Each structure stands twice: as C-alpha cells, then as structure tokens.
Amino acid sequence: MTTIFSRIISGEIPSYKVAEDNRFYAFLDINPLKEGHTLVVPKQEIDYIFELDDRTLGDMMIFAKKIAGKIKQSRGCKRVAVVVLGLEVPHAHIHLIPLDEESDINFNKPRLKLTPEQFQEIRNALL
C-alpha cells in the first residue's frame, strides 16, 4: 500500500515543499512543533530508516543538512534538531525542528496550528 508520504511526493496530496531532488523530498510538517518543522523523506518507500542502504542514508543526511542550514538561518534558532521516530508513518523519515531549548522537541506538547499563509511564508523563507 502506498504511504501518505509517497502520495505527497507524487502530488496526490498537497504539501509545502521546501526541497526536492531525484531521491529525496522535504516538506513542512502540517502539525509542527515549531515554525519551520520539516520532514525529510526518501522517495523510495522503505519503512524503517535503518533499512536504507548506507549510501542512501548518508545522502539523506547530506540533503537534510542543507535544509537544516536554511531553517537555522530563516528561523533564527540556536540549533536544528534531527529526530527519528518513524512509528507514525511506515516510510523512513526524519524531522528537522528549529531548537532554542530542549523542550522544543517534546512531541507530547500541543502542535502549532498555522494558516496556509503562515505555511507559505515559512516555505518561501526556506527556498
């Protein structure tokens, strides 16, 4: 069965894409912990990140590093956290989350509710 991320990559489900190449896709999380919270996924459907071959995993981190730099610059945060959970969607992915304090990556706290205009503004800052 096709994952929700594959449906996003194909354009079947809209997203706020911030980067894409022939192997990876990055888009804003629609339920972010902080403004700029971005998901990075391989286009290849693999359930668990550590099932990716070494080259793909390494290249995914290099792809994410470029986006993290843009997040840090545009959001003015101290760091960008890299979080791998992988239970909510059976498609390997990482979360890039602007970080000013450790509590910023508490997935149990309420998520932000942003307007489409806010998403567009954040997305445009990351392009």
Side-chain angles (χ1 to χ4, degrees), residues 4-5 16 18 28 33 58 65 73 83 87 92 94 98 115 122:
I4 191 168
F5 291 163
Y16 294 95
V18 298
L28 296 178
L33 290 174
K65 180 181 177 180
Q73 181 181 25
V83 178
L87 295 176
I94 60 174
T115 66
I122 295 164

Side-chain angles (χ1 to χ4, degrees), residues 32-56:
L33 290 174
K34 290 196 66 175
E35 290 184 10
H37 181 166
T38 301
L39 297 175
V40 176
V41 301
K43 289 184 175 179
Q44 177 185 17
E45 264 188 24
I46 292 193
D47 179 19
Y48 181 47
I49 194 165
F50 294 120
E51 290 175 351
L52 293 169
D53 64 81
D54 292 349
R55 179 173 175 248
T56 302

Side-chain angles (χ1 to χ4, degrees), residues 102-117:
E102 289 186 15
S103 63
D104 289 338
I105 57 170
N106 179 352
F107 280 81
N108 292 316
K109 72 182 192 179
R111 301 295 184 101
L112 299 179
K113 301 296 181 202
L114 304 177
T115 66
E117 294 78 19

Side-chain angles (χ1 to χ4, degrees), residues 50-85:
F50 294 120
E51 290 175 351
L52 293 169
D53 64 81
D54 292 349
R55 179 173 175 248
T56 302
L57 179 59
D59 290 349
M60 184 172 167
M61 291 305 292
I62 292 167
F63 181 83
K65 180 181 177 180
K66 295 172 190 169
I67 298 160
K70 290 180 180 182
I71 292 170
K72 188 172 186 304
Q73 181 181 25
S74 70
R75 304 314 308 161
C77 56
K78 291 181 182 176
R79 302 256 169 114
V80 175
V82 177
V83 178
V84 177
L85 296 171

